[in-house]
């Protein structure tokens, strides 16, 4: 919603916004986040996972997104592992249901999320 992310090419076409904008109900939630984020999101991806599923190991694309990535966990608690590829250190972080996670700095640009 908002802009179209081509996951295979890691590109966003900002000149051609999607017909479906970010819904007003989400815009209201974004307003509640204003004390925690530096810029309002212009792209929204909704992932639905079944029990036992999760995201594959990755680092979010640097060039097409802002300096912060935000994530809202809705359905249940989950542990996300942040791995520093330079040191090999893994930091497991509990993301409780209905929580906001703001990733910036190393967690945004360096660590893989697993």
């Amino acid at each position: 919603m908002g802009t179209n992310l081509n996951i295979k090419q890691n590109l966003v076409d900002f000149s051609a916004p999607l017909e479906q904008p970010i819904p007003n109900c989400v815009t209201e939630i974004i307003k509640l986040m204003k004390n925690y984020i530096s810029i309002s999101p212009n792209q929204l991806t909704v992932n639905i996972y079944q029990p036992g599923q999760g995201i594959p190991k990755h680092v979010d694309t640097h060039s097409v997104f802002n300096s912060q990535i935000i994530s809202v966990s809705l359905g249940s608690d989950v542990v996300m592992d942040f791995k520093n590829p330079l040191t090999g250190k893994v930091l497991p972080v509990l993301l409780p249901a209905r929580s906001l996670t703001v990733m910036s700095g190393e967690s945004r640009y360096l660590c893989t999320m697993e």
Side-chain angles (χ1 to χ4, degrees):
M1 296 173 196
T3 56
N4 186 25
L5 169 63
N6 182 324
I7 293 174
K8 290 181 181 177
Q9 296 180 339
N10 281 333
L11 297 174
V12 173
D13 185 358
F14 292 105
S15 67
L18 297 174
E19 291 180 24
Q20 184 179 9
I22 294 176
N24 288 337
C25 62
V26 174
T27 303
E28 292 302 314
I29 294 170
I30 291 169
K31 288 178 186 176
L32 296 172
M33 297 178 194
K34 68 182 176 184
N35 292 331
Y36 305 100
I37 59 177
S38 60
I39 190 167
S40 290
N42 61 3
Q43 196 269 342
L44 171 68
T45 301
V46 177
N47 295 318
I48 300 172
Y49 299 109
Q50 299 300 317
Q53 285 185 316
I55 59 173
K57 179 174 77 170
H58 73 284
V59 175
D60 285 311
T61 303
H62 295 180
S63 59
V64 299
F65 297 117
N66 296 319
S67 61
Q68 293 180 325
I69 299 287
I70 61 174
S71 173
V72 178
S73 299
L74 297 174
S76 62
D77 297 355
V78 67
V79 174
M80 183 180 291
D81 290 331
F82 291 86
K83 182 176 181 181
N84 183 317
L86 302 177
T87 64
K89 182 179 177 184
V90 176
L91 177 65
V93 177
L94 175 64
L95 307 177
R98 300 178 54 153
S99 67
L100 169 69
T101 304
V102 180
M103 292 165 274
S104 62
E106 284 188 13
S107 66
R108 162 73 175 95
Y109 292 109
L110 177 65
C111 294
T112 58
M113 292 169 273
E114 305 179 17

